[in-house]
């Protein structure tokens, strides 16, 4: 029996490699990397991490066949030619239909495949489905409480530690002007890893940093992600030791000169399998106990990992394939070109997109309240926005971008989002320092120099009135819309139409 290890399943902590001392097959298929204009750092990260994992397995005595080929089918063909009667075991791929596609490929190559469940996640499909039962709607908060009870994390008997399930009220602060978060970690890469990163950059031309998507900007020297388990554990330690205490209060804050703030930067190693969610949370809880860290920071972080990450994984599993193309607001605009090029005068979008181009990363609130908020109020088709996120981020996989982008960011399906995350410049100004350095006026909605977020926001509410007005969570914003007179609304519609023309011309 051979264990087939896919590129985002790089773990020996749980799963079939924990008690397997036989053969391992890994296939590095280049065609996979050409399917989207992926960020070069994403490709470098995945290929480097796969090769380092191969080395680690070999070091531990496994016979690893590492096949480098154009297509996955070629790799399987070569494997079954060498081992005609072999049986493969694989952890269920996270992407929708992935297991069925694999079964077909293996059958075509003349072999057989056993698919086992992915034990990295804390909540199994059966556990989630039992919780979901025949509920009308899936709410994250209720799932999260179930996860707290089931894991025992931050529990005092059957009550939450501190008496509250959630300390979000304390987690919406902005830092003082002179605040400097602890620096994020950097890693030393060996020559082999550097070569892979540079090779990925030059091999996959026509990708994210090539015209028409952008320019030659993704510098291999800026690559900064853990590619081995040791590096991932070091990243986790660094987070628990330095940035965790203030993770909570500044979780939603955005600063032009601080791309990481106090975020953990652990999504990429988590999604690759270099870390498991359980060990991440347990390391954080150890730090909490040892150093008496603020509960609002610790709980805020634990919620992201055992709550949101697990919840969205199951939303994806249950709602696909419809979720990928869900578009309940019938949004049809194309994504403005500046999402690829970064060429816009809007200070917030320009800075966040520049960060994505340079590092393949931006933190959650930048993803939600700058990038997808703007696309939402502009009217971008959710599936197109999803393709952009999928291409641009080092931590992007279809199972995690789709519920985040299509549902949370674009209000595409109404599966769990109870209202759209739409906002004007007001929110951006409250949570960031962008507006003070922007050529647009944050308080103006129409007229020369008015912030585009404002006209698009009111225009969005106006365009989607039939779908949104009856939503009880939207009552207040529609009462503000009602305060606007006909002339004001006409000016807003005109301004939004002109701004859209300018965006199409690349002049926003
Ligand atoms: C539009 C949009 C697109 C996103 N695309 C991705 C993506 O491609 N890949 C990805 O892993 N996450 C995605 N997220 C979720 C979240 O923004 C990232 O996980 C987080 O920003 C990663 O940075 P971090 O590790 O520093 O996170 P932290 O802020 O330190 O959070 C800790 C961990 O919690 C988990 N987490 C937090 N929120 C979410 C969430 N909404 N969904 C899933 N996991 C979560 C992540 O594993 C993260 O590492 C997206 C969110 C939005 C709104
Ligand atoms: S004024 Fe508008 S475009 Fe400029 S930074 Fe603020 S929200 Fe962004």
């Amino acid at each position: 029996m051979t264990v087939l290890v896919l590129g985002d399943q790089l773990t020996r902590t749980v799963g079939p490699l924990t008690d397997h001392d036989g053969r391992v097959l890994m296939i590095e298929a280049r065609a996979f990397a050409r399917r989207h204009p992926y960020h070069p750092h994403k490709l470098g990260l995945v290929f480097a991490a796969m090769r380092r994992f191969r080395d680690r397995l070999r070091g531990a005595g496994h016979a690893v066949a590492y096949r480098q080929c154009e297509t996955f089918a070629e790799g399987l063909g070569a494997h079954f030619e060498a081992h005609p009667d072999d049986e493969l075991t694989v952890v269920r791929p996270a992407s929708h239909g992935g297991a069925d596609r694999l079964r077909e490929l293996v059958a075509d190559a003349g072999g057989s495949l056993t698919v086992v469940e992915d034990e990295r996640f804390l909540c199994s499909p059966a556990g989630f489905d039992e919780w979901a039962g025949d509920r009308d709607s899936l709410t994250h908060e209720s799932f999260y409480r179930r996860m707290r009870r089931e894991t025992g994390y931050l529990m005092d008997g059957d009550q939450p530690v501190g008496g509250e399930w959630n300390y979000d009220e304390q987690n919406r602060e902005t830092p003082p002007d002179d605040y400097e978060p602890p620096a994020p970690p950097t890693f030393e890469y060996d020559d082999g890893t550097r070569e892979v990163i540079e090779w990925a950059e030059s091999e996959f031309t026509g990708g994210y940093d090539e015209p028409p998507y952008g320019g030659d900007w993704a510098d291999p020297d800026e690559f900064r992600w853990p590619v081995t388990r040791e590096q991932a554990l070091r990243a986790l330690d660094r987070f628990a030791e330095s940035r965790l205490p203030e993770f909570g209060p500044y979780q939603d804050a955005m600063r032009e000169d601080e791309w990481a703030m106090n975020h953990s930067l652990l999504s990429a190693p988590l999604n690759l399998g270099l870390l498991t969610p359980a060990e991440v949370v347990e390391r954080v809880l150890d730090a909490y106990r040892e150093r008496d860290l603020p509960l609002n920071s610790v709980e805020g972080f634990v919620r992201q990992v055992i709550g949101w990450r697990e919840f969205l994984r199951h939303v994806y599993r249950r709602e696909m394939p419809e979720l990928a193309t869900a578009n309940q607001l019938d949004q049809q605009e194309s994504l403005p070109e500046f999402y690829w090029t970064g060429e816009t005068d809007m200070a917030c979008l320009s800075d966040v997109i520049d960060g994505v181009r340079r590092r393949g990363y931006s933190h959650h609130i930048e993803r939600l309240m700058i990038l997808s908020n703007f696309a939402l109020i502009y009217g971008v088709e959710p599936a197109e926005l999803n393709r952009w996120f999928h291409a641009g981020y080092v931590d992007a996989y279809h199972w995690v971008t789709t519920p985040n982008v299509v549902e949370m960011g674009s209000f595409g399906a109404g599966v769990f989002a109870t209202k759209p995350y739409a906002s004007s410049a007001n929110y951006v100004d409250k949570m960031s320092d962008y507006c003070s350095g922007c050529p647009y006026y944050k308080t103006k909605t129409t007229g020369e120099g008015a912030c585009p977020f404002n006209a698009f926001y009111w225009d969005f509410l106006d365009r989607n009135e039939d779908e949104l007005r009856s939503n009880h969570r939207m009552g207040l914003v529609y009462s503000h819309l009602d305060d606007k007179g006909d002339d004001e609304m006409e000016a807003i519609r005109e301004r939004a139409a002109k701004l859209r023309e300018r965006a199409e011309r690349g002049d926003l």
Side-chain angles (χ1 to χ4, degrees), residues 263-267 271 304 361 364 367 395-396 400-401 404:
H263 291 270
S264 70
L265 314 177
L266 293 175
S267 50
N271 295 350
Q304 306 310 315
Y361 176 89
H364 182 70
R367 297 185 205 205
D395 58 12
V400 64
T401 54
N404 271 302

Side-chain angles (χ1 to χ4, degrees), residues 32 35-39 42 95 208 316 340 360 367 383-402 405:
F32 197 77
R35 289 204 316 201
H36 293 284
Y38 286 116
H39 195 293
K42 161 80 175 292
S95 62
Y208 191 72
Y316 175 81
W340 296 103
R367 297 185 205 205
E384 188 180 350
L385 184 67
N386 196 17
R387 284 193 290 278
W388 180 83
F389 270 102
H390 193 176
Y393 281 76
V394 289
D395 58 12
Y397 297 88
H398 201 244
W399 69 266
V400 64
T401 54
T402 305
V405 179

Side-chain angles (χ1 to χ4, degrees), residues 9 22 27 69 97 123 139 148 165 175 177 185 205 209 215 275 290 360 366 374 389 410 458 473 478:
Q9 300 179 344
I27 300 175
C69 32
C123 180
T139 59
R148 290 270 295 275
W165 292 99
D177 287 349
T205 53
D209 66 341
L275 296 172
E290 283 158 17
E366 295 169 340
F374 186 83
F389 270 102
S410 306
W458 294 112
R473 296 196 63 199
Y478 273 100

Side-chain angles (χ1 to χ4, degrees), residues 158-236:
D158 63 353
Q159 291 305 308
V161 166
E164 303 288 338
W165 292 99
N166 180 318
Y167 296 88
D168 259 356
E169 287 294 309
Q170 298 171 39
N171 286 355
R172 296 191 187 111
E173 285 180 33
T174 48
D177 287 349
D178 58 354
Y179 178 70
E180 282 184 25
T186 52
F187 306 96
E188 293 281 319
Y189 303 111
D190 59 24
D191 289 348
T193 301
R194 278 257 156 249
E195 262 168 39
V196 183
I197 294 161
E198 277 158 27
W199 165 77
E201 172 106 21
S202 59
E203 172 73 16
F204 302 101
T205 53
Y208 191 72
D209 66 341
E210 299 288 325
Y213 305 111
D216 187 13
W217 39 260
D219 185 346
D221 288 338
E222 284 225 35
F223 183 92
R224 54 173 316 127
W225 304 101
V227 300
T228 64
R229 172 142 172 92
E230 291 68 28
Q231 289 175 347
L233 286 169
R234 206 151 62 73
L236 172 58

Side-chain angles (χ1 to χ4, degrees), residues 120-123 144-162 164-165 167 276-286 288-289 295 298-299 301-307 310:
R120 284 176 293 173
F121 289 95
L122 292 157
C123 180
Y144 168 58
R145 290 180 189 191
R146 175 190 185 273
M147 290 301 289
R148 290 270 295 275
R149 288 199 177 96
E150 196 159 292
T151 56
Y153 294 146
L154 289 179
M155 292 299 291
D156 192 354
D158 63 353
Q159 291 305 308
V161 166
E164 303 288 338
W165 292 99
Y167 296 88
T276 64
E279 71 190 341
V280 166
V281 170
E282 280 158 28
R283 176 70 184 84
V284 160
L285 293 181
D286 283 348
Y288 168 62
R289 283 185 290 261
L295 183 55
V298 173
E299 186 282 317
F301 181 80
V302 169
R303 175 150 32 97
Q304 306 310 315
V305 179
I306 72 167
E310 300 277 327

Side-chain angles (χ1 to χ4, degrees), residues 308 368-369 372-373 376-377 407-409 411 417 419-423:
W308 280 111
L368 186 62
M369 297 311 294
S372 57
N373 174 25
L376 171 77
I377 59 181
E407 172 68 347
M408 192 186 294
F411 198 52
K419 74 178 186 64
Y421 280 99
S423 91

Side-chain angles (χ1 to χ4, degrees), residues 346-349 425 428-429 434-435 438-442 451-453:
M346 289 182 279
C348 52
L349 278 153
V428 181
D429 189 39
Y434 286 126
C435 298
C438 182
Y440 287 104
Y441 298 109
K442 64 188 182 193
C451 168
F453 273 78

